[in-house]
Amino acid sequence: MPEPSRPPATPGATGSATPSGPAASAVSAASPATGAARSAEPRIPEAIHRRRWWILTVLMFSLLIVVLDNSILNVAVKTIASPAPTGIGATQSELEWAINSYTLVFAGLLFTAGLLGDRIGRKKVLLFGILVFGIGSALAAMSASPGELITWRALMGFGAAFVMPATLAVLMNVFERDEQPKAIGIWAGSVGLGIAIGPITGGLLLEHFWWGSIFLVNVPVVVIALIAMAVLVPDSRDPKPGKVDPVGVALSIVGLVLLVYGIIRGGELADFTDTTVLLAIAGGVLVLAGFVWHEKRSSHPAMDVTYFRKPAFSAAVAAIALVFFALMGVTFFSAFYLQSVRGYSALQSGLLIVPLAAAQMIFAPRARLVVDRFGARAVCTVGMLLVAAGLASFALFDAGTPVWVLCLVFFVQGTGMAHIMPPVTVAVMQALPREKAGSGSAINNTFRQVGGALGIAVLGSVLSTVYRGDIEGHLGAVPAGARAVAGESIEATLGVAERLGPVAGKPLVTAAHDAFIGAMHVTALGSAAVALIGAAVVARYLPGRTPTAPAAPEESAQDSSQDPSQDAASRPAKELTGS
């Protein structure tokens, strides 16, 4: 089907300056969540517009390997913990830091990477990030010790921090405003694809190859992505980035690293009252408060914090953080439930997650249609309630819950996510001018990452604390020297039970399963409560459906003859975007 005709593009559309005059007034009055027109934005050049869907495919490909890598690692932790030559004999703490070193570097640099993309060019930043990620993947695959794996995972996190914001920023600069919700929905759906194929790919690789193959598989994908980016993806940047704000950048990095480290450390210790945890979290909060104070007073801020005064913008980023807090926590304990309690293999567990990912891939690209009809507030509130219902369902699960029930719950969760992430991402990204797309994407991803890390740490701590309390009374048959270790986690308890033998260890296995299911019930209800808070936030602050009344033809023609800029500000969004 041929493309509809479009008005000529304004030069420099992919890196435009903020409009001024009457058109700018219309921009500032537009609601970010409803997609009202930022009408004076320059048009996308025709050559870029024609290949926009190919560019989106490349961006999804880049995002996919970053998301896929994390989900692959989750199914490989048991293998990596095995002694050589099967694994590298990593301890529980070393395994946690193989995951957390990536998260720490990734979260700490997201905002800075977004700023660099706006300043020096998003394509350059994207190519750099993918290249570093590929090098880190190859080195991680060849790790001979847990220390090396932790180091190279941190390098992978460094590269991924430059990839994640750049993909969304490029998207905003190759699609016209009316097509952005659809493109963002497809972009969000690719995250679901990564969640699905990661565990499946990891399970297949571990069945046929050594553990390092889960990282080495990234290398050919990175090579293809680099070539496709170099050929297809256009560069874009902020044409007037202003002065560099080194103090703001430094404060953002230090604050985020301290905060995320404190969250991770609290989850490791299952104790958020520990001195090291409190100092790190308090230090992070104070530094980030100093960052906000500095940005409000700076003549050239790294981030315009006044955007957070808009209730819709703040509600959108809060929704992102809360939904990932709830979801990452339940993803953490569901892996142990499926493998340790139900006895499924890594590959089987990955297949059971497919309904969640399938729902995201089916519904996320179409979420804009539901938003157009019912409004962002209603759609996101219902989405949050669906996520809460899915999380609460885990409180009813036991060791014999039918598989079809698990699949149904995962599908409901995925459906809820698919109707939350695209609308709130659109709200965040369309609240900022196109030339600040890197900063907007960085804010979006930073809140998601911090929310997810907090969810794993806090809900993981709840799970561990309740489990320990329940299992302590069943460790009488365990030798005194092994009791402390046996009570740490369900995996540790099952390991001790295995050493006791099939007869003596069977009661301990039963007790471990019962204790874990009880702890999972408590944690699931906590996750659902967080999702309900998110539902309340979006129901209160996101805008509802706001239909736009078309201008009368005679009035539009008269305004056009008097003042072209006024005409641009008053015409409906679809007319301005050539649809």
Side-chain angles (χ1 to χ4, degrees):
M1 181 180 294
E3 292 277 358
S5 60
R6 305 169 71 244
T10 301
T14 58
S16 54
T18 306
S20 58
S25 301
V27 170
S28 62
S31 170
T34 58
R38 193 180 300 277
S39 55
E41 280 189 348
R43 302 196 53 77
I44 306 299
E46 186 65 31
I48 295 174
H49 178 79
R50 283 198 301 267
R51 65 176 191 265
R52 64 197 185 284
W53 298 111
W54 285 107
I55 294 170
L56 179 59
T57 302
V58 175
L59 297 177
M60 289 172 56
F61 205 52
S62 308
L63 179 66
L64 186 63
I65 60 173
V66 174
V67 176
L68 182 147
D69 181 77
N70 272 333
S71 55
I72 281 182
L73 183 59
N74 289 334
V75 303
V77 289
K78 283 188 176 181
T79 306
I80 296 172
S82 304
T86 303
I88 53 176
T91 65
Q92 181 70 25
S93 177
E94 288 168 337
L95 284 172
E96 289 174 356
W97 273 107
I99 297 171
N100 293 336
S101 62
Y102 180 101
T103 302
L104 190 64
V105 175
F106 181 68
L109 289 176
L110 268 173
F111 180 67
T112 303
L115 290 176
L116 283 174
D118 286 344
R119 179 169 291 274
I120 68 173
R122 289 130 194 166
K123 180 177 181 177
K124 297 181 182 70
V125 165
L126 187 56
L127 289 170
F128 171 77
I130 285 288
L131 179 61
V132 171
F133 185 85
I135 293 170
S137 298
L139 293 171
M142 304 303 172
S143 299
S145 67
E148 289 184 12
L149 179 60
I150 292 169
T151 301
W152 302 133
R153 283 282 297 166
L155 182 63
M156 292 172 68
F158 182 88
F162 288 83
V163 174
M164 202 76 163
T167 58
L168 191 52
V170 171
L171 180 154
M172 297 299 290
N173 279 272
V174 298
F175 283 90
E176 299 290 3
R177 190 173 179 84
D178 62 331
E179 283 190 325
Q180 286 171 2
K182 179 180 180 180
I184 288 174
I186 296 171
W187 178 88
S190 68
V191 176
L193 180 62
I195 292 171
I197 69 174
I200 297 171
T201 305
L204 289 171
L205 289 170
L206 292 173
E207 283 187 4
H208 297 91
F209 304 100
W210 99 113
W211 67 268
S213 62
I214 66 168
F215 298 115
L216 200 60
V217 71
N218 292 334
V219 175
V221 180
V222 164
V223 172
I224 295 170
L226 284 171
I227 295 171
M229 281 181 216
V231 173
L232 290 173
V233 176
D235 204 357
S236 61
R237 71 185 73 186
D238 184 349
K240 297 180 180 178
K243 296 179 181 178
V244 179
D245 180 19
V247 175
V249 170
L251 288 173
S252 71
I253 294 173
V254 173
L256 285 170
V257 168
L258 282 174
L259 178 62
V260 175
Y261 173 78
I263 292 168
I264 290 170
R265 184 64 177 160
E268 268 189 333
L269 300 175
D271 180 11
F272 280 83
T273 62
D274 183 83
T275 304
T276 58
V277 175
L278 290 175
L279 286 175
I281 292 178
V285 170
L286 286 173
V287 173
L288 290 175
F291 167 75
V292 173
W293 181 87
H294 170 77
E295 296 302 286
K296 289 174 70 174
R297 286 156 180 77
S298 175
S299 60
H300 49 282
M303 180 179 74
D304 187 352
V305 295
T306 59
Y307 284 110
F308 286 92
R309 295 176 183 172
K310 300 177 181 179
F313 182 86
S314 296
V317 294
I320 291 168
L322 288 169
V323 75
F324 271 87
F325 180 100
L327 191 73
M328 293 305 292
V330 77
T331 302
F332 175 76
F333 68 67
S334 65
F336 289 100
Y337 168 70
L338 293 173
Q339 295 187 46
S340 300
V341 176
R342 301 299 297 265
Y344 296 121
S345 67
L347 178 57
Q348 290 170 328
S349 298
L351 290 170
L352 286 172
I353 301 294
V354 167
L356 185 147
Q360 289 194 56
M361 288 186 288
I362 292 168
F363 294 114
R366 296 168 175 80
R368 76 192 191 284
L369 303 176
V370 189
V371 172
D372 288 344
R373 182 168 183 178
F374 299 105
R377 178 193 300 160
V379 173
C380 290
T381 301
V382 172
M384 279 287 192
L385 292 174
L386 286 176
V387 170
L391 295 171
S393 299
F394 276 86
L396 305 175
F397 288 2
D398 56 31
T401 301
V403 170
W404 70 266
V405 175
L406 301 179
C407 293
L408 178 61
V409 168
F410 282 129
F411 188 82
V412 169
Q413 284 183 303
T415 302
M417 287 285 291
H419 289 90
I420 298 167
M421 295 313 298
V424 296
T425 302
V426 169
V428 172
M429 296 305 296
Q430 291 194 344
L432 277 68
R434 182 179 279 159
E435 62 269 17
K436 300 294 183 184
S439 301
S441 179
I443 292 170
N444 178 76
N445 286 296
T446 299
F447 273 82
R448 183 174 72 173
Q449 194 67 25
V450 172
L454 195 59
I456 292 174
V458 173
L459 297 176
S461 298
V462 172
L463 182 77
S464 178
T465 301
V466 176
Y467 177 81
R468 289 178 183 180
D470 288 349
I471 200 64
E472 279 179 1
H474 301 277
L475 299 177
V478 178
R483 285 178 189 171
V485 175
E488 285 183 356
S489 65
I490 185 172
E491 283 298 310
T493 308
L494 294 177
V496 170
E498 186 177 356
R499 290 195 291 272
L500 291 175
V503 177
K506 186 175 181 180
L508 186 57
V509 171
T510 302
H513 288 171
D514 291 342
F516 182 85
I517 289 173
M520 181 181 76
H521 290 169
V522 174
T523 310
L525 291 175
S527 302
V530 172
L532 288 175
I533 293 171
V537 169
V538 298
R540 173 66 180 84
Y541 294 108
L542 277 187
R545 183 169 177 264
T546 53
T548 304
E554 294 82 6
E555 182 182 347
S556 297
Q558 183 179 3
D559 289 346
S560 177
S561 63
Q562 291 176 357
D563 187 348
S565 65
Q566 179 63 35
D567 177 61
S570 61
R571 277 182 291 164
K574 288 186 177 181
E575 182 184 345
L576 288 167
T577 47
S579 54

